[in-house]
């Protein structure tokens, strides 16, 4: 039960409601978008329109075919409200049946004509609510049917004949379809595998089938159906670039609201191999910022032919395979074991090589399969692009085509592969890029492009008339250049100082090398040796060696200077020169040398 301080009921007129003239029974499909409700015939022609001027966003529609009353919900400032209006009177104005003061979000509505009860899912409160609506128009306080905390309920559908209510759970960790009796009993999960983001839901009372929409990876989608108990599941439609959020069915087709293309699509329930979805209505231009928040079909929400529906279900149950019993021939003889096994195989109730337990009347499925008849494979809708196989552990494993990769082959190999506006293509060897104004295997090198953009941004556009450089981000480039100049000033100073130091070191090195060379050369200069022949008396030097040995002698003088006996000046290196001596000392050394020549040791 909802606390009374969170809601209040009123029958006051809340807004203007303008209906374009139409017969209340002439429409087949109603679509809610923004403040507007459009009514269409099956041939796509629009037969009417209603505008709720005070509404912000209509988020749900339900219809009572007996009183021709249309119920709708509105979300305004996180306050949900329920409105009703009679379509048989074009001058009727909507009445407020329910106002929520606290945060709420009514996602989808259904109406049960037998008990005159409205059911809806509340996305913010995460509840499934119900409210009785008497025929006199007065409504009573709503109550909670189910607390769906942490489940994020969205789509809702009603099986009027079997008295079941269905809803979808689209929490990031809980993807399932549940059902219960209208009083909340017998709650159970009927489908909880191979669902990714299930939103739209509808019960087809003509074929006794349950339909739902599933957004696989924000790119791919599928429309599926099953029996009302979740068995015999099959995919009706799969495609790309649709986000199907709301779903409806009629006698011939399935309709869904696509939030990507802002359109309503439909496909035949018994589609052939070449049948493609048909765009029923488009709001891309008329309502570019709004989303379609509800679709209903009049044929499926009225009072259905329950006898025909139950008959279809009964025939389906009878058609299901049952355990084979020994068969007798026309002459009252039991058939052979071989014939009985052959018959049993023909009506084998367990699919995908499942084993049937006759005592328990159940199927034991092999790894990778589940369901009452082992009809559901873990590979069902698992691989987005590629082939799926069940591995030894019973888990799905994908083999991707060359254009996709990832665990489920969900990633296009070209996504983000080519840089700098390169065009990606895929071949047998993998992705490759076609570059423009760049180079490299992934168009990663943009030196020339940066150069062109620099010239373009500096104002030399007349030099680049042959190039389209409007994509150059001049403001960013100028910022980068300014930052580069500011950053380069300290670097320039450091470079100048370093260059001066290197120059000084080089000059000093050359000076040291030159000095070292000269010192080495002077050290290796040969010693000066002179030989003279003089008279033994020491009076006059001889110019040639005498023939005899008594009149002369030979003197060898090394490094002598300032001596009269020397015929030529001698050179003595300054580094080897002894300290300068006085002239008297030199004369004494000279006389001593001459006296020694006259001694016994001379010559």
């Amino acid at each position: 039960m909802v606390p009374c301080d969170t809601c209040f009921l009123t029958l006051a007129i809340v807004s203007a409601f303008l209906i374009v003239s139409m017969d209340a029974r002439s429409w087949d499909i109603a679509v809610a978008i923004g403040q507007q409700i459009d009514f269409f015939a099956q041939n796509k022609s629009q037969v009417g329109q209603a505008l709720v001027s005070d509404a912000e966003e209509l988020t749900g529609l339900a219809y009572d075919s007996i009183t021709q009353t249309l119920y709708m919900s509105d979300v305004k400032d996180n306050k949900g409200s329920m409105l009703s209006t009679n379509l048989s009177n074009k001058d009727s104005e909507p009445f407020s049946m329910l106002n929520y003061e606290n945060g709420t979000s009514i996602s989808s509505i259904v109406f049960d004509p037998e008990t005159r009860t409205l059911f809806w899912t509340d996305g913010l409160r995460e509840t499934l609510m119900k409210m009785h609506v008497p025929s006199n128009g007065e409504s009573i306080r709503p109550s909670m049917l189910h607390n769906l905390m942490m489940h994020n309920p969205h789509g809702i559908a009603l099986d009027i004949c079997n008295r079941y209510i269905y809803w979808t759970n689209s929490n990031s960790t809980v993807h399932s379809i549940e059902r219960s009796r209208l009083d909340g009993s017998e709650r159970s999960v009927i489908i909880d595998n191979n669902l990714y983001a299930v939103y739209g839901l509808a019960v087809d009372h003509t074929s006794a089938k349950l339909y739902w929409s599933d957004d696989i990876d924000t790119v791919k989608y599928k429309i599926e159906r099953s029996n009302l108990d979740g068995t015999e599941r099959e995919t009706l439609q799969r495609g790309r670039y649709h986000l199907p959020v709301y779903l409806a069915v009629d006698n011939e087709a399935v309709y869904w609201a696509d939030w990507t293309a802002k359109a309503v699509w439909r496909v035949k329930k018994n589609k052939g191999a070449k049948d493609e979805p048909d765009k029923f209505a488009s709001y891309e231009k008329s309502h570019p910022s709004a989303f379609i928040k509800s679709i209903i079909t009049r044929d499926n929400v009225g009072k259905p032919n329950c006898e025909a529906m139950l008959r279809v279900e009964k025939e389906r149950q009878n058609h299901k395979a049952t355990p084979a019993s020994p068969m007798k021939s026309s002459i009252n003889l039991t058939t052979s074991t071989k014939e009985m096994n052959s018959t049993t195989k023909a009506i084998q109730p367990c699919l995908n090589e499942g084993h049937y337990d006759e005592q328990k009347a159940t199927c034991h499925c092999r790894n990778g399969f589940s369901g009452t008849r082992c009809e559901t494979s873990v590979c069902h809708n698992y691989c987005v692009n590629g082939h799926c196989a069940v591995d030894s552990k019973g888990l799905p494993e994908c083999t991707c085509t060359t254009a996709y990769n990832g665990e489920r082959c969900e990633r296009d190999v070209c996504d983000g592969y080519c840089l700098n506006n390169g065009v990606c293509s895929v071949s047998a060897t993998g992705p490759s890029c076609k570059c423009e104004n760049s180079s490299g295997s992934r168009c990663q090198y943009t030196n020339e492009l940066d150069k062109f953009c620099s010239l373009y941004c500096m104002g030399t556009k007349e030099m680049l008339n042959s190039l389209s450089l409007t994509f150059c981000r001049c403001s960013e480039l100028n910022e980068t250049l300014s930052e580069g100049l500011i950053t380069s000033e300290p670097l320039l100073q450091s470079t100048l100082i370093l260059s001066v130091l290197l120059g000084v070191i080089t000059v000093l090195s050359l000076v040291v090398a030159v000095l070292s060379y000269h010192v080495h050369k002077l050290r290796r200069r040969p010693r000066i040796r002179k030989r003279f022949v003089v008279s033994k008396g020491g009076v006059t030097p001889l110019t040639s060696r005498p023939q005899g040995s008594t009149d002369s002698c030979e003197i060898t003088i090394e490094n002598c200077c300032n001596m009269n006996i020397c015929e030529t000046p001698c050179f003595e290196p300054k580094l080897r020169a002894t300290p300068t001596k006085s002239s008297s000392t030199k004369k004494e050394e000279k006389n001593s040398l001459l006296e020694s020549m006259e001694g016994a040791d001379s010559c």
Side-chain angles (χ1 to χ4, degrees):
M1 200 74 164
V2 178
C4 60
D5 60 345
T6 63
C7 62
F8 66 91
L9 307 178
T10 178
L11 296 178
I13 298 175
V14 296
S15 63
F17 191 77
L18 176 62
I19 301 179
V20 177
S21 179
M22 71 171 187
D23 182 355
R25 300 181 184 274
S26 65
W27 64 276
D28 296 311
I29 297 97
V31 179
I33 182 168
Q35 302 174 314
Q36 175 180 314
I37 303 173
D38 291 337
F39 299 92
F40 296 92
Q42 285 186 337
N43 61 3
K44 299 185 183 182
S45 61
Q46 187 170 347
V47 296
Q49 185 181 84
L51 181 66
V52 184
S53 60
D54 194 47
E56 181 174 305
E57 188 174 37
L58 300 174
T59 60
L61 293 178
Y63 183 64
D64 177 8
S65 60
I66 298 174
T67 62
Q68 299 179 31
T69 300
L70 182 68
Y71 301 95
M72 66 202 84
S73 63
D74 177 34
V75 174
K76 187 173 184 180
D77 299 327
N78 285 334
K79 297 176 183 179
S81 62
M82 196 80 69
L83 312 173
S84 68
T85 188
N86 193 306
L87 295 182
S88 61
N89 182 3
K90 67 177 182 178
D91 296 325
S92 67
E93 295 177 331
F95 287 88
S96 173
M97 303 172 58
L98 173 69
N99 278 340
Y100 273 107
E101 291 298 329
N102 294 334
T104 186
S105 176
I106 299 175
S107 302
S108 302
I109 312 172
V110 290
F111 178 75
D112 177 30
E114 187 171 320
T115 61
R116 299 200 57 80
T117 303
L118 279 170
F119 297 86
W120 67 88
T121 53
D122 189 331
L124 286 181
R125 294 174 179 268
E126 296 191 327
T127 56
L128 198 157
M129 306 294 294
K130 68 176 182 178
M131 182 174 66
H132 178 63
V133 184
S135 57
N136 60 6
E138 296 182 358
S139 56
I140 64 174
R141 182 172 296 164
S143 62
M144 181 189 300
L145 183 65
H146 291 297
N147 184 351
L148 304 175
M149 190 63 64
M150 305 302 295
H151 282 59
N152 192 19
H154 188 272
I156 190 171
L158 192 65
D159 179 359
I160 298 174
C161 299
N162 292 299
R163 314 305 294 158
Y164 278 105
I165 188 167
Y166 297 79
W167 66 92
T168 65
N169 298 313
S170 56
N171 183 276
S172 59
T173 57
V174 179
H175 300 289
S176 61
I177 299 176
E178 293 187 74
R179 77 173 181 178
S180 73
R181 293 292 183 180
L182 299 187
D183 59 1
S185 63
E186 299 182 25
R187 177 179 171 180
S188 63
V189 177
I190 61 170
I191 298 175
D192 63 354
N193 55 14
N194 294 320
L195 295 176
Y196 302 98
V198 56
Y199 293 119
L201 191 66
V203 169
D204 181 13
H205 291 94
T206 303
S207 61
K209 287 283 187 179
L210 180 67
Y211 286 80
W212 65 91
S213 62
D214 195 3
D215 177 35
I216 298 177
D217 56 2
T218 71
V219 174
K220 293 180 171 51
Y221 75 96
K222 57 182 177 177
I223 308 296
E224 292 187 276
R225 65 185 173 191
S226 71
N227 294 336
L228 295 176
D229 59 358
T231 59
E232 297 186 11
R233 177 178 175 179
E234 60 180 327
T235 300
L236 175 66
Q237 169 68 27
R238 66 170 66 240
R240 297 166 63 92
Y241 307 116
H242 283 199
L243 181 55
V245 182
Y246 290 89
L247 198 73
V249 295
D250 62 12
N251 294 335
E252 301 295 333
V254 182
Y255 301 79
W256 64 90
D258 173 20
W259 280 10
T260 300
K262 304 288 181 67
V264 175
W265 300 80
R266 71 177 174 183
V267 69
K268 294 180 181 178
K269 291 193 295 187
N270 300 315
K271 59 173 291 190
K274 296 183 179 180
D275 290 332
E276 293 295 332
D278 175 35
K279 184 180 285 189
F280 183 81
S282 177
Y283 293 92
E284 188 174 10
K285 294 182 179 179
S286 61
H287 294 76
S289 59
F291 293 99
I292 302 168
K293 289 297 184 72
S294 187
I295 307 175
I296 57 172
T297 53
R298 189 168 59 87
D299 288 345
N300 197 52
V301 297
K303 200 159 185 179
N305 187 347
C306 290
E307 291 183 2
M309 176 180 172
L310 295 175
R311 186 166 55 251
V312 170
E313 282 193 291
K314 186 175 180 179
E315 291 176 356
R316 187 177 294 142
Q317 291 292 335
N318 292 335
H319 186 68
K320 285 186 177 180
T322 56
S325 57
M327 296 182 298
K328 293 185 178 181
S329 64
S330 58
I331 56 173
N332 234 5
L333 296 176
T334 303
T335 58
S336 65
T337 304
K338 182 177 181 181
E339 291 173 343
M340 186 171 64
N341 290 341
S342 175
T343 305
T344 302
K345 183 176 181 181
I347 59 173
Q348 173 69 27
C350 301
L351 304 175
N352 298 305
E353 302 179 8
H355 173 68
Y356 185 75
D357 189 337
E358 294 184 359
Q359 294 181 351
K360 297 181 179 180
T362 58
C363 291
H364 296 285
C365 306
R366 65 187 181 94
N367 279 348
F369 295 90
S370 61
T372 56
R373 299 182 60 202
C374 307
E375 72 276 10
T376 303
S377 169
V378 294
C379 278
H380 180 70
N381 292 325
Y382 182 76
C383 298
V384 180
N385 293 285
H387 173 71
C388 182
V390 180
D391 64 12
S392 58
K393 297 180 180 179
L395 300 175
E397 187 177 20
C398 295
T399 302
C400 306
T401 62
T402 55
Y404 296 89
N405 56 23
E407 184 179 354
R408 295 177 53 214
C409 306
E410 73 279 11
R411 293 195 301 270
D412 192 327
V413 296
C414 277
D415 286 346
Y417 183 78
C418 297
L419 307 176
N420 300 307
N421 299 319
V423 179
C424 181
S425 60
V426 180
S427 62
T429 57
S432 60
C433 297
K434 183 179 180 181
C435 307
E436 183 177 356
N437 297 325
S438 59
S439 61
S441 59
R442 297 181 59 197
C443 306
Q444 67 270 34
Y445 302 118
T446 60
N447 292 337
E448 291 299 324
L449 180 59
D450 293 343
K451 180 180 177 182
F452 290 148
C453 282
S454 298
L455 294 173
Y456 178 83
C457 295
M458 285 189 297
T460 56
K461 301 178 182 179
E462 63 278 358
M463 298 172 58
L464 305 168
N465 290 333
S466 60
L467 295 176
S468 175
L469 298 173
T470 55
F471 55 83
C472 293
R473 300 178 180 178
C474 293
S475 58
E476 295 180 9
L477 183 61
N478 291 336
E479 261 181 43
T480 305
L481 290 175
S482 299
E483 291 175 0
L485 289 175
I486 293 171
T487 306
S488 64
E489 287 181 0
L491 181 62
L492 180 61
Q493 294 176 359
S494 301
T495 305
L496 182 60
I497 294 172
L498 182 61
S499 300
V500 172
L501 289 176
L502 288 176
V504 171
I505 292 172
T506 303
V507 171
L508 291 176
S509 299
L510 290 174
V511 170
V512 171
V514 171
L515 291 176
S516 299
Y517 170 76
H518 283 289
V519 170
H520 181 70
K521 183 177 179 181
L522 292 175
R523 285 192 177 192
R524 293 182 59 87
R525 193 175 185 88
R527 296 171 65 86
I528 300 173
R529 287 174 175 268
K530 294 293 183 178
R531 290 184 178 87
F532 299 93
V533 180
V534 298
S535 64
K536 193 171 183 182
V539 179
T540 304
L542 300 177
T543 58
S544 61
R545 182 179 295 275
Q547 296 296 325
S549 58
T550 57
D551 297 324
S552 63
C553 67
E554 183 176 333
I555 300 173
T556 300
I557 301 175
E558 295 185 13
N559 298 326
C560 66
C561 295
N562 302 319
M563 295 179 65
N564 295 332
I565 196 171
C566 298
E567 293 182 341
T568 58
C570 65
F571 173 79
E572 183 177 4
K574 293 181 180 180
L575 294 176
R576 294 179 61 104
T578 57
T580 307
K581 299 179 181 181
S582 63
S583 57
S584 59
T585 304
K586 293 182 179 180
K587 289 181 179 180
E588 290 177 0
E589 289 179 356
K590 178 178 178 182
N591 293 331
S592 176
L593 178 61
L594 292 174
E595 289 177 356
S596 296
M597 291 173 56
E598 296 176 353
D601 297 331
S602 62
C603 297

